[in-house]
Amino acid sequence: MASGPQTISFLSDFGTDDESVGIVKSVIRAIAPEATVIDLTHGIGPHDVRAGSLALARAVQYVAPGVILAVVDPGVGTERRAVAVEVGDGIATFVGPDNGLLASAVAMAGGATRAVHLNESEYHLAAPGATFAGRDVFAPVAAHLCAGVDLDDLGDDIDPAGLLPGTLPLSRTEEGRLVAEVLWVDRYGNLQLNLDPDEVAPLGERLTVRAEGMVRTAGWARTYDAIGAGEVGLVVDAYGLVSLCMARHPAAAELGLATGDAITLEPATDGAGTSQPVTLGARRPRPEVTP
Amino acid sequence: MASGPQTISFLSDFGTDDESVGIVKSVIRAIAPEATVIDLTHGIGPHDVRAGSLALARAVQYVAPGVILAVVDPGVGTERRAVAVEVGDGIATFVGPDNGLLASAVAMAGGATRAVHLNESEYHLAAPGATFAGRDVFAPVAAHLCAGVDLDDLGDDIDPAGLLPGTLPLSRTEEGRLVAEVLWVDRYGNLQLNLDPDEVAPLGERLTVRAEGMVRTAGWARTYDAIGAGEVGLVVDAYGLVSLCMARHPAAAELGLATGDAITLEPATDGAGTSQPVTLGARRPRPEVTP
Amino acid sequence: MASGPQTISFLSDFGTDDESVGIVKSVIRAIAPEATVIDLTHGIGPHDVRAGSLALARAVQYVAPGVILAVVDPGVGTERRAVAVEVGDGIATFVGPDNGLLASAVAMAGGATRAVHLNESEYHLAAPGATFAGRDVFAPVAAHLCAGVDLDDLGDDIDPAGLLPGTLPLSRTEEGRLVAEVLWVDRYGNLQLNLDPDEVAPLGERLTVRAEGMVRTAGWARTYDAIGAGEVGLVVDAYGLVSLCMARHPAAAELGLATGDAITLEPATDGAGTSQPVTLGARRPRPEVTP
């Protein structure tokens, strides 16, 4: 019966404290009963398009062929377009808002081969309000793709070059230091940086890591447990990026760092053989309260 | 092999921090291996029958035909009855405790066409304690329905009129004001009220909204982003009810309001054309601490 | 097409705030598209092998035949072995780290009948780093089992007797008191103890329960609601263990107790017929702050 793809990978900022995700899946079930929905995550912070975009980019190389439904949509109901973006000549189709959320993942998947504006309302649900496009527009469109509807039937063709680009922060070199940013703090408190190992390698075996109110020396480690107790290590993480980590301890809490924070890296001045960490302040200073 | 419905939509207050939901699904898998379980939500507050009832009522019009398994059951193991309630002459069957949880959703689905008391223990699991009816009674019954067991075999027929009713709060008019209640605060801080747009429309384009320690002026908006920055808007939400919202900001936090709080609406006295919000106090006042 | 089992029951400490669980499921989908993944829970505390082990042990008697994928793995990438452990001559196969996580559940399932060290890398994913064995080792191995790969092909046979044992805390008697430990605090604040009803029964109908800074009298109850308001009751819980509970109120918060806390039980001295609770301190005392 179904002639389209049979997997919908679903990411949103809906959380799971209420029934929103369940309703979206119910809508899909009604239109494409054979499709399997894989939840990538619904824990993206409310309206945090950047975090959603990064999570989607990390996941995309593993995601099953089919439909990728992604909804972080603070501008829901406004003139921001609802779109479907095909990659790999049809290997996968992203469905979501044209607000930058999809851009990095689309690029990592080789770029868009087709895109449509989802303005063909016969493939949407009628709804009392304009505030839940995940349920009323994106879910039915994703399901109709699984049920065999062609992308072209879902709306007007648009030029993929006109889709809103993503805004991944780039690292840079400044006064001899590598200036980077914390992309993501994982559940274990590891700090993923926007740095390839190749960028960092020339700085040597031991680096000085600085952020507001914090200086530490860090060496490279292949695993978390290879980092000395209480020390900070540089690990090539599961996505091939450099992460700041500690062994069985959350580096984010220890260093007082969070997503979006700037950090710098430079060769350590404590001598190549020294493994003692230099710590000026382990936590972000709090504003002083004077009576 | 299976001759019953093949979708179980599942709502509970179990949370997902432990294995309870997984165990319920494992029980279902053993009895009805072909059935698909759709999690509506498990984030209902512990024992919060009212919140579960409202979530179920919001979801019910989207839920797939089949079995709706709903468990928020503070009185588990006592004389509160375990029931299955059929609607639409068999389009869907609710399975859960007879404690008001199911009532609003059953009503929205057109009312019960049959009901049984789940006292036929051959369709339950033997268990050491009486504290996990979700696993031992409701899950196996839901699965047996999918496996083709008839509702009548699951226990004694009961009169649907004798099921415990729900307790949806009604709005009322008092001294010229519409008195409403916050039904639900969604993840974005929007405040869903127990008000149809038709009830509110006669009050005009701009309204004065009052709650304990808070007065604001609010106008209508079709989308969140159409509300002016820092202003509060009235939006017909995705369920057709009136919500108090702000643009990309949580109205609940801004106004200091939570589920169950009372608010009143009346025509604004600041003149139809004025869009300036009148704010006496943006947050719920805290008790003063005197030394 | 698939010749192996078709259910993977999945437990981890990944949480669901990011895409890790979704990526693992995507990897499985690519290798074993017909397999159904049942999430037992991903809410185990980060690196909390003991809590994961207990959750797995509570779940195991309900889990569907097939593969049980369990990942709480603080030593990821180190010399701790990745293993697959067969129970019941193939009824189920546990896949995870050899760090004690699997031990109690394996024992409850009758003990290991075969085990292999997962060192055959052709069944793993190539990956940039060594930090996400859930994605790169355990998920593909679990999926290959579903796709029909034999356990023996996944790596070298190892002696199950050499697997790391679990560390379930044992109760003991000391100076006439039963000394127990809080194994788990459920979502409702019930405190599961490491006590069988048979151990506790000889102490009589009413017991004195002591923990640091807390003394209460507790009687037996079959259901939560049968406990008097404000009183603490002993309930044989859904797993056949003794739990300390209150009616519609979290006993953990009331008594100031958490997982791992020691408590003692002894016959109550307040007379068999007295139901009045004796309370010296309802909460864990806080350190006094003196100026």
Side-chain angles (χ1 to χ4, degrees), chain A residues 6-7 36 38-44 55 58-59 62-64 184 187-188 222-225 235-240 248, chain C residues 13-19 22-23 25-27 29 43-47 74-78 125 128-132 135:
Chain A
Q6 290 307 294
T7 309
T36 293
I38 292 180
D39 296 301
L40 293 179
T41 182
H42 303 292
I44 303 299
R58 287 192 301 268
Y62 295 98
V63 159
W184 174 46
R187 178 162 161 100
Y188 310 95
R222 201 183 72 88
T223 65
Y224 304 130
D225 267 10
V235 173
V236 179
D237 73 11
Y239 301 92
R248 307 194 186 206
Chain C
D13 68 342
F14 297 168
T16 52
D17 280 349
D18 64 39
E19 69 289 350
I23 287 178
K25 291 180 182 174
S26 298
V27 168
R29 180 82 167 158
I44 302 299
H47 295 170
V76 61
T78 63
L125 295 192
T131 62
F132 195 177
R135 177 193 71 189

Side-chain angles (χ1 to χ4, degrees), chain B residues 17-20 23 26, chain C residues 8-12 38-41 44 48-64 67-72 85 93-97 99-109 168 184 192 239:
Chain B
D17 279 349
D18 66 39
E19 70 289 350
S20 303
I23 286 178
S26 299
Chain C
I8 297 177
S9 301
F10 181 18
L11 172 145
S12 78
I38 292 180
D39 297 301
L40 293 179
T41 182
I44 302 299
D48 194 343
V49 173
R50 180 186 131 128
S53 157
L54 289 169
L56 208 54
R58 287 192 301 268
V60 71
Q61 65 177 311
Y62 296 98
V63 159
V67 178
I68 299 159
L69 172 62
V71 189
V72 180
V85 181
T93 305
F94 292 79
V95 174
N99 63 4
L101 175 66
L102 313 175
S104 299
V106 165
M108 290 185 67
L168 284 187
W184 172 46
Q192 186 179 59
Y239 301 92

